[in-house]
Each structure stands twice: as C-alpha cells, then as structure tokens.
C-alpha cells in the first residue's frame, strides 16, 4: 500500500540488540551476515507504510527483516490488519522465487510466531517509482518485468502444475482474505462512492469524479472485474504489482512486497504494472507544469516499456507453455500429432488474447483508483501545481475510462499505447 | 459415479448390530428412528457404486447411513479413493441444505473418523434415471431442479456471500482434490484418448469415436472447459448432478450424492443435468428399437424440462440476486439510484447469458463422455439392440459436438432444444 503521509518517526517493533541476538540463532541469515551479533548494525528502512522493515549489515553482507505488526504501521492500532500477511508474503517469495530465481529477494527465514521474515537485502537498487519520478529510465525494465510475470504466472497456473498441487496452493493462499479484502474495497468499490479515504485534486477534478461515479458503464465494468478477482483462481499473483514493488539496479529488476499474494486472474498483475507505467507517463507532463505536445524521452520510453512488458510476457509465457506445459490443463497428450499441435498453438494465442483483455480491464481499474482513491502515488502527489496535476490526471482519467469500459476493444498492446497517446493530447 | 457392472454381493462395511449400536449413541438419528437399537432393522441399499449405503428403519422413521471405504466399493481395494469424500459430501449437504431446505436429504451426523455420514432417509422416492428409463414423466421436474440450482449456486457465490466467508469455503472444498481429479480425467481427458476404461457401442460407433478424437475443434473446446473447471471458483457445485443424483416422488425432487462437491463454474452443474435429460431424450428412441420420426410424449416432455430447468434457474437466480444480493460482488451500494439499478439489471442478464454459455459447453462435454467413456448411463447400456443403441447414440453425439464446439452460438435454451431435435432427425 502507499499513501502520501510521511511515516511517523520512532515507532519500532524491535530494539536493535534484540533483533541481532535473534538473528544470531538463524543459520541462513547468520551465514549471510558473517561474524556474530556484536558485528552487526541495524538500520530501519523507512519508506514502507504497512510493516517494519530493517536492514541488518554484517561483515560479509546484509539481510532484510520485515516484521508485520497486527495493524498498519503508519496508522497504528486504529487500523488493525492481520499479521498473517507476512506468512503469505514469504510463501509467495518461495513459490515465485522458484519460478523466477533472481527476480526477487531470496527468502531466508520465516518466523510464524513473531510474524517476521528474513530475506536477502537487495544492494544498490532503487525503488522504480522514485527513479521514474526523477525522470530517469531503466533500460530493460519491460523485458525484466515481463519475464518475471511470465515465469511466475505460468509456473503457478494449471498449465504447469498438477491439479492436486495447484489446489493445495489455492487452499493455502485463500487464507490471505484480509489482504484481498483491501483490494476488493480499494480497487473496485470505495472510489466509486463517497468514502472518507478517497482523495483527488479538488476542486479541479470534482466534476470528473462526479461523472465517474454517475457513469454506469464504468460502474458495471468495475463490478465485473471485481467479480473476476473474486472468482478466478488462474495463477498465484503478486497481488500489488506497482512501480513501488519493483527495485531496479545495474543488475536488473527485483520484485518485492508480496503481502497481497493470492490466486487470481493473471491480468490483475499484468494490468496493474502497466497502469503504473502509464501513471508515470501522464505524471511527466504534470512535472513539467505546462502541457507540451511532443512526448519527452522518458514518456516515449515508458510507452515502449508498456509494449515491451506485454510482448515479453506473451512470448516467454508461450515459450514456457510449449516447453513445460505439464500441468493438468490443456493436457499435452491430447495434442500430440501435427494437427493437434497446430490447434493447440492457435489456442495458446487465444488464451493470451484473453489474458490481454483481462489485463486491459484491470489496468483501467488500477489507473482509476490511483487517480481518485486513497492510495494516490507519489508520481502524482509530488506534482505541486494543482492545475498541472489536474491536467495530467484528467488525461489519465480519459484513458482509464476507455480501458475499463472497452477492454475487449483493445486487441493488442499497441491499441493501449495508442489510446494513451490519444488521451494525453485530449 | 456410475458404471454398468453389478455390485459384488456381500461386501459390507458394518455388521448390522455394530451399526445400530453405533447409531444409538447419536442423538439426532436416534430421535428420528424412535425406540432403541433393538427395535431397528438395517438394509443395505444396493445401487451405489462407490460407497456403502444403508437404510436403518425404526419405529418412528428411517435414516440413511453412507460410509466411504478408502476405495471404490464395486472395484475394491484395487481402486483406492480417499474416504475424505464423505466429509465434503456432508458439508455440501449442510451448505446446499441451508440454501434449499427440503431439496436434499437433511444431514444428521458426520463422523470424520469412521468416514460416515447419517442423513434423512427419503421415503417413497425413485431415482430419476430409473423412472425415465421406464418411459415415465415426473411433473414439475425442471421447476424443482431449476429451483435447487438457483438457490444453491446463488447462495454459495460471491453475489450472496461476504468474500471472507466465501474464501473460507473455497479453502475447505479445495481439499476435495481426489474427487475433482476423477472429473478432470473422466469428463475432459480420458475419452479423447485411447484409455482402457473407455467403452462405446462397438463396432457400430468406432468410426465416430475415431472422428471425435481427431476433431481438433472438439479437443480444444474440451480442454478450454477443463481449464475453466480448474480455474473458476464461482459457486459451490454439487459436482456430479445427473439423473442418478436426483430422487423423485409425490412431494417433489431430492438431490443427493454430493461427494464431488467443489467450487467451480455454475454451468458445470446446470449443463451436467441438462445433458442427462438429453440422454434420456435420445435413449427413448433406442428403447423403441426403430427410428420413429415423431417424438413420443416423454421426449417432448424431456425437452420441455430442459427449457424449464434453465428458465426456472434463470428466473429464480435473478430474483434471489435482486432480493438478496448482499455479497461482495456487484456491490449493491454502487447501483442504488434508478440509472444504476437499470444498469445492474441489464448486467444480471448478461451474467446469466455467460452462465448459459458455460452450461451449453459443459452439457456438450458431459454428453460426450457419457456416450463414449467409462461411466455410460443405464439409459443407454440398457438398450439391448446394438443397432438401435448406436443409432440413438450417433444422434446424441451430433448434438454433443455442436454444443461443445459452438457453445456461444446457442444463445438461448430454445437453441439447445432445437439443436437436439435437429440432431435426432439427422
Ligand atoms: N529485500 C529488500 N532489499 C532491499 N530493500 C528492501 C527490501 N525489502 C524492502 N526494502 C526497502 O524497504 C521499503 C519498504 O518495504 P516494503 O514495501 O516491502 O514494506 P511495506 O511496509 O510492505 O510497504 P508498502 O507500503 O509498500 O506496502 C521498500 O520500499 C524498499 O526500499
Ligand atoms: N438419503 C437417501 N434416502 C433414500 N435413499 C437414498 C439416500 N441416499 C442414497 N439413497 C439410495 O442409495 C443409492 C446409492 O446412493 P449414492 O448414489 O449416494 O451412493 P454412491 O455409492 O455414492 O453411488 P454412486 O455410484 O452414484 O456414486 C441411491 O441410488 C439411492 O437409491
Ligand atoms: Mg507492502
Ligand atoms: Mg456417489
């Protein structure tokens, strides 16, 4: 989760000494750190809103400790939240990590009683959103995230898994109910009503927000996507894949913060990530202050990353299906001869067309809720001039609506980037 | 499950005395039976294939005891099967029973250690398939089963349930993996390959079976439906709703044998039941021996029941949604004003159109597997003349294919009954 309030200072779950003494008892973290507790230093890593996150530095390396209090950290005990979220985060790190080693921090230890996990500390990486907010690019981004999406979503789907293994995983992640509820409420429901946590650039966008809430095509599309989030168990999702859940560095990208992990429609992850690239695209205009018709270099690059993310996701997913489609769905044995193989190959394309349609819809839903809901991203809230902010948000709202209400009309990712350009120029 | 082998005699799980002594310890069953163990008589109820089923008669009434051995009863220990199935059957009786009281036997007791359940014994009812096989009608059938489907599928969907309750139920029924696996294999996979348990009217239908297996449109459609069965968690299904899972009597219909219960697409239950009405429709020709162009009274009635089942399902489901749509999906609060209400009402229709499309596809898949797979129903296997049997099966196969490969082309239930008439007359 993200919001724009700064984290209150000084709230910590652990005395440093207690944490290092505890880590000394854990073989994997101890080995990474080197030396003993006396050689280790603890730093709180400040910018998460929900949990306590620490970096612990030792002579040979660092580990990252994430501890989930039974509430939202920045809100305190007034906003209770199950600490079990950390268990699902850890398990998702394991399942996704197996599918895409190196694309996320390596999980090192889970403590179910203390609601705490230890993972690899990712050195020399920056949260992608911060980087984009400074106008920077990260070469290879779409390729890296598209690859992560293909590997993790394929590996946890019925295309890869025997049904018995898949059903056991579904049963396990079904228990991440409270975190799913946050998405059900925040993404698909609260923004379409009068709700105390909603916020938008007011009064500039008041009329637009009123229009969204009165727009029955938008309401129905959002409700239909909510139904899909509630009823589909297609793959194990990251569940909150935005540009604040990706760190980038010289060696690539790392995806983290899997506390919303659940089984759901693949398009929820794919579309969610695309939405945040598109937010950065519109926000770039807001930062410049004046509407400037030609796209800047970052904007052109961002749309290119939208296309790259989808194209790489699609190609790698297809390649994995061809080479490793050993799950119970689309049983390979039925399509063994040449005609069968050709028919299955065509169906693979149709399957990914359906994932694209879902992705476009969820992208629209995510854009919408990040523009007028509770968790507005720093890309937008960091634009100090309300007029400039409203102008770029208005353009993004136009895109959000078109993706939401006409998801199936966008038959390729090129249709999405075209629609973004079109929305930007009014 | 059904097959055509007779049950081996004399295999019982319980000595009668042990069973009555056991029942005496259970308050609800004891109260139903009246008197004490010495007054009770045990009869084995013979025609199930998978479990031991007993009727226990007492001075005030009867109860039915169903015990699941760790194997398939008629096959013995050579075909192991989890005895946990009885737990899911009992829980489904509870969940569906709450939604549609009176439409299924009342659950009275579950013994998780003995893998045994006790339920109401339904007096003076006949298994629907037997009745249909004798050419009989049961007035009100479609209305009764349509009502059962509407109530149970609505009540266990996200339209009725808060997401937290629904997710807990999904997690629970996800564990009925072994029973689901039987459906995954038998309905969607084995019949399309050379598999030792497949059987059909041979050699008469050999060419048709070869054609089905070479028909990539059929294979892809079946695989896509399997994927839907594996990934959709729309509602708690009966999971094996055929005419052998319905008893009919003067007071109506009772649905039983919920051991395949799992969360899945609503159309799996709806289409499954329609398939068995259609099997009876084609089988009526086979029983007569000669192809006789005009439909007989039962056949006309059967197609009417296909329409009734769907129409009643649809209307009651819509009525329940309007009156009791308090689940997290399609949140009522978003559609409170007149324009919102009208849009939601249109979307309800679209939702049911999607359920119809699923139902038509699953109906085709179920028809197919009952014609050329392991579990051929008595309607067909009871036709002694192979030529007559093959002729009606050939007609049913034509329908199966058209429903499978062009589910969305059947835009109303009338299109389905028209297609059945068309397939019958070649
Ligand atoms: N494994 C890691 N290696 C390096 N830095 C990390 C790691 N995990 C987290 N961080 C840093 O800590 C910050 C907070 O982490 P994270 O987002 O997981 O916490 P959170 O409380 O769940 O926050 P959110 O509000 O995003 O849900 C991240 O933005 C990142 O800067
Ligand atoms: N509650 C009941 N009241 C009356 N008769 C019942 C009841 N339950 C089952 N029966 C009778 O017992 C028979 C076998 O029951 P059931 O189909 O549940 O057993 P099964 O072993 O699961 O069989 P199947 O092969 O259909 O899976 C039924 O066909 C029906 O005649
Ligand atoms: Mg987080
Ligand atoms: Mg049974």
């Amino acid at each position: 989760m993200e919001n724009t309030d700064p984290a209150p200072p000084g709230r910590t779950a652990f005395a440093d000494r207690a944490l290092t003494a505890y880590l000394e008892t854990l073989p994997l973290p101890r080995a990474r750190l080197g030396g003993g507790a006396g050689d280790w230093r603890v730093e709180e890593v400040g910018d998460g809103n929900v949990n306590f996150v620490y970096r612990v530095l030792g002579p040979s390396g660092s580990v990252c400790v994430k501890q989930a209090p039974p509430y939202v950290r920045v809100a305190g005990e007034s906003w209770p939240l199950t600490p079990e979220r950390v268990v699902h985060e850890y398990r998702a790190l394991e399942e996704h990590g197996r599918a895409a080693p190196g694309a996320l921090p390596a999980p090192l230890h889970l403590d179910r009683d203390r609601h705490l996990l230890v993972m690899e500390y990712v050195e020399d990486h920056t949260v992608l959103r911060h980087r984009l907010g400074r106008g920077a690019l990260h070469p290879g981004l779409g390729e890296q995230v598209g690859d992560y999406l293909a590997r993790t979503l394929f590996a946890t789907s019925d295309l890869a898994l025997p049904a018995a293994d898949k059903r056991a995983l579904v049963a396990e992640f079904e228990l991440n109910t409270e975190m799913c509820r946050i998405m059900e409420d925040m993404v698909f429901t609260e923004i379409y009503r009068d709700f105390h946590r909603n916020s938008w650039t007011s009064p500039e966008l008041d009329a637009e927000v009123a229009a969204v809430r009165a727009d029955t095509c938008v309401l129905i599309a959002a409700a239909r996507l909510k139904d899909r989030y509630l009823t589909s168990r297609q793959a194990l999702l990251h569940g909150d894949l935005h540009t604040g859940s990706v760190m980038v560095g010289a060696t690539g990208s790392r995806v983290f913060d899997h506390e919303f992990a659940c089984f759901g429609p693949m398009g929820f992850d794919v579309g969610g990530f695309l939405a945040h690239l598109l937010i950065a695209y519109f926000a770039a205009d807001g930062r410049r202050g004046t509407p400037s018709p030609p796209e800047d270099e970052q904007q052109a690059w961002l749309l290119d990353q939208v296309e790259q993310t989808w194209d790489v996701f699609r190609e790698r997913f297809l390649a994995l299906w061809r080479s490793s489609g050993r799950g119970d769905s689309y049983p390979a044995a039925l399509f063994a001869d040449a005609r069968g193989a050709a028919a299955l190959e065509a169906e693979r394309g149709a399957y990914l067309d359906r994932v694209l349609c879902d992705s476009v819809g969820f992208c629209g839903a995510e854009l919408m809720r990040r523009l007028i809901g509770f968790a507005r991203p720093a890309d937008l809230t960091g634009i100090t001039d309300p007029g400039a902010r409203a102008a770029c948000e208005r353009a993004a709202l136009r895109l959000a609506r078109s993706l939401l209400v006409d998801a199936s009309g966008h038959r390729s990712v090129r249709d999405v980037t075209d629609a973004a350009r079109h929305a930007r120029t009014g």
Side-chain angles (χ1 to χ4, degrees), chain A:
Chain A
M1 271 197 289
E2 298 174 297
N3 71 13
T4 53
D5 305 327
R11 234 183 206 293
T12 55
F14 265 104
D16 294 359
R17 205 77 71 79
L19 180 54
T20 53
Y22 170 75
L23 287 174
E24 208 171 26
T25 68
L26 308 176
L28 246 61
R30 199 178 53 212
R32 288 238 168 190
L33 288 162
D39 309 312
W40 303 342
R41 191 156 51 82
V42 177
E43 284 175 3
E44 192 171 354
V45 182
D47 71 342
N49 295 305
V50 181
N51 304 288
F52 295 100
V53 183
Y54 306 94
R55 177 184 190 179
V56 182
L57 294 94
S60 346
S62 294
V63 299
C64 183
V65 177
K66 187 165 177 178
Q67 198 269 340
Y71 49 79
V72 175
R73 191 184 65 136
V74 294
E77 284 164 42
S78 67
W79 188 344
L81 189 64
T82 173
E84 294 298 311
R85 61 191 186 262
V86 82
V87 176
H88 296 104
E89 176 164 358
Y90 190 84
R91 289 286 298 115
L93 282 177
E94 288 187 317
E95 297 297 327
H96 279 190
R98 210 185 347 265
L104 21 73
L108 300 175
H109 184 76
L110 172 65
D111 188 325
R112 289 176 189 259
D113 298 323
R114 290 186 177 78
H115 303 112
L116 168 159
L117 67 80
V118 187
M119 63 186 144
E120 174 192 2
Y121 184 86
V122 179
E123 309 279 355
D124 302 321
H125 275 57
T126 318
V127 171
L128 174 60
R129 192 186 305 286
H130 303 168
R131 192 132 164 176
L132 298 180
R134 294 192 300 266
L137 319 186
H138 172 70
L141 176 67
E143 199 260 328
Q144 292 155 13
V145 177
D147 186 69
Y148 161 83
L149 286 166
R151 285 180 196 276
T152 57
L153 297 178
F154 177 79
T156 57
S157 77
D158 288 288
L159 301 170
L161 290 174
D165 298 353
K166 158 95 176 335
R167 289 190 191 274
L169 281 177
V170 171
E172 179 185 349
F173 282 93
E174 214 61 22
L175 307 178
N176 205 11
T177 317
E178 270 192 55
M179 300 305 281
C180 292
R181 154 132 234 135
I182 293 176
M183 287 298 162
E184 292 150 17
D185 289 346
M186 287 210 315
V187 180
F188 304 107
T189 317
E190 288 165 359
I191 58 164
Y192 299 106
R193 319 177 44 181
D194 196 18
F195 181 74
H196 68 281
R197 281 202 281 261
N198 291 336
S199 82
W200 60 86
T201 302
S202 181
E204 287 81 353
L205 293 186
D206 288 0
E208 280 80 358
V209 170
V212 163
R213 293 191 188 163
D215 187 336
T216 54
C217 295
V218 168
L219 298 180
I220 292 292
R224 203 185 274 196
L225 288 164
K226 183 180 189 182
D227 191 71
R228 187 136 176 78
Y229 179 79
L230 287 164
T231 62
S232 164
R233 299 296 182 272
Q234 200 175 25
L236 178 61
L237 308 182
H238 176 285
D240 189 28
L241 186 57
H242 53 74
T243 49
S245 302
V246 179
M247 281 180 278
V248 295
T251 57
S253 302
R254 303 285 195 109
V255 176
F256 66 104
D257 199 11
H258 290 65
E259 62 191 335
F260 287 89
C262 64
F263 274 81
M266 297 176 183
F268 188 80
D269 268 7
V270 178
F273 184 69
L274 300 186
H276 288 262
L277 295 180
L278 291 164
I279 286 170
Y281 171 78
F282 290 102
D285 286 320
R287 275 199 311 277
R288 267 197 303 270
T290 52
S292 47
E295 282 169 0
D296 69 15
E297 189 200 347
Q298 192 202 31
Q299 287 181 307
W301 175 82
L302 281 163
L303 292 194
D304 201 43
Q305 299 316 296
V306 168
E307 297 180 1
Q308 282 289 315
T309 301
W310 173 260
D311 288 342
V312 169
F313 164 73
R314 186 179 194 284
E315 280 318 310
R316 305 258 160 111
F317 192 100
L318 287 171
L320 285 165
W321 191 346
R322 287 179 205 117
S323 67
S324 318
R326 284 184 282 272
D328 276 306
S329 200
Y330 293 96
L334 295 190
F335 304 99
D337 68 9
R339 289 184 52 249
L344 180 57
E345 186 57 20
E347 174 65 9
R348 289 190 184 111
Y351 183 103
L352 279 145
D353 289 346
R354 297 193 291 270
V355 175
L356 178 64
C357 182
D358 275 0
S359 302
V360 173
F362 286 117
C363 179
E366 177 69 7
L367 275 174
M368 200 62 101
R369 75 113 168 175
R370 295 295 193 157
L371 291 162
I372 64 175
F374 168 58
R376 291 164 66 211
D379 317 47
L380 298 169
T381 55
I383 301 169
T384 45
D385 172 11
R389 189 166 67 238
C392 78
E393 289 172 338
R394 202 171 279 125
L397 268 175
R398 278 193 292 270
L399 177 64
R401 184 185 190 280
S402 96
L403 301 183
L404 246 181
V405 305
D406 187 27
S408 62
H410 298 78
R411 302 179 70 84
S412 76
V413 72
R414 245 65 44 186
D415 288 349
V416 174
T417 49
D418 285 349
R421 292 205 161 91
H422 188 77
R424 176 173 175 263
T425 54

